[in-house]
Amino acid sequence: MTDAEFRSGFICFVGRPNTGKSTLTNAMVGQKIAITSSRPQTTRHTIRGIVHREHAQLILVDTPGLHRPRTLLGQRLNDLVRDTYSEVDLIAICIPADEKIGPGDRWIVQQIRQMAPKTTVVGVVTKIDKVGKQAVAEQLLAVSQLLGPEAEVVPVSAVKGEQVELLVDLIASKMPEGPAFYPDGELTDEPEETLMAELIREAALEGVRDELPHSLAVVIEEVLPREEQEGMLDVHAILYVERPSQKAIIIGKGGSRLKEVGTAARKQIEHILGTRIYLHLHVKVAKDWQRDPKQLGRLGF
């Protein structure tokens, strides 16, 4: 690329839940801006990560995993994904190296072909650090057959940083020529409160049973300067669950689990804000909020 050929555009990572999309977003941006968890359906908002390179700016739209919805929340998350597909310059389909291609992957490819037939598609084989070279080669071939001869396929390990720059270069080469959309150094256009809520959610989801991820929402009530300590912020957050039994799981025996959640989230939030905070967490029950349009609206969906 010559100096005149600055390229910029919007990219969407898609794939089944838990295929490494958020980890890849963070690796390309160079800082944690999308929450990651071993739980499927962790991502709830389209977080935009901004990748700055000398000759390109890539805006990564990290959507929730497209899935067959079972609740109103699931339907709204899917609508969010569909809206995104039609507005981006490139769709990167993420398929992990350690799992065989299944009906879920084929369904997603079919959805993309229907909703965004003209959008450039790239295949990304993620988590290559989990398998041997032979398995990676076989998966590359399988993904290539799934996507067709026009689509290029790149193997990466976001955790180890392997081939991440190669993927950045490939995507950049497929962007239209154009100016930067964001100033240098800006990593996301998400409001700080959304990032804080997501980081608290991530900490609360660590090590809990399967029933909880979908049922947990976090709302930042207020952020205030701490009067007696200059440069410190008081952050008040409410964790909403659907049932009293879930409230007990989050709080833990004698409040021990909630304390752990607060400590883990506080470190991450302080790192992103660059300032010290005092985190106040409260857990409330909002019965069956995922199926209630009024409550969904109140919780930001």
Side-chain angles (χ1 to χ4, degrees), residues 230-265:
E230 206 176 315
M232 197 166 184
L233 295 174
D234 268 317
V235 178
H236 295 263
I238 296 178
L239 290 78
Y240 286 98
V241 291
E242 293 190 306
R243 293 191 295 282
S245 60
Q246 294 168 338
K247 182 176 177 177
I249 292 169
I250 293 278
I251 292 172
K253 195 174 179 184
S256 59
R257 196 150 193 297
L258 193 60
K259 205 171 179 180
E260 284 169 18
V261 170
T263 303

Side-chain angles (χ1 to χ4, degrees), residues 124-135:
V124 184
V125 173
T126 58
K127 307 185 184 185
I128 61 168
D129 53 294
K130 292 195 164 187
V131 295
K133 284 184 177 165
Q134 178 67 31

Side-chain angles (χ1 to χ4, degrees), residues 11 16 46 73 75 84 98 114-115 135-136 142 144 155 176 187 195 202 246 250 275 278 296:
I11 299 98
R16 285 181 288 108
T46 53
L73 172 65
Q75 187 55 58
T84 306
D98 60 344
Q114 283 171 9
M115 288 181 273
V136 171
S144 188
L187 301 180
L195 282 174
E202 177 183 50
Q246 294 168 338
I250 293 278
T275 186
Y278 193 88
L296 275 176

Side-chain angles (χ1 to χ4, degrees), residues 15 34 58 74 76 127 134 140 151 223 236 258 273:
L58 311 178
R76 286 196 183 171
K127 307 185 184 185
Q134 178 67 31
L140 284 171
V223 180
H236 295 263
L258 193 60
L273 298 185

Side-chain angles (χ1 to χ4, degrees), residues 163-184:
Q163 306 254 96
V164 172
E165 272 316 296
L166 185 78
L167 180 62
V168 169
D169 289 344
L170 172 67
I171 291 172
S173 72
K174 295 184 181 297
M175 292 297 104
E177 284 184 41
F181 291 96
Y182 293 92
D184 204 24

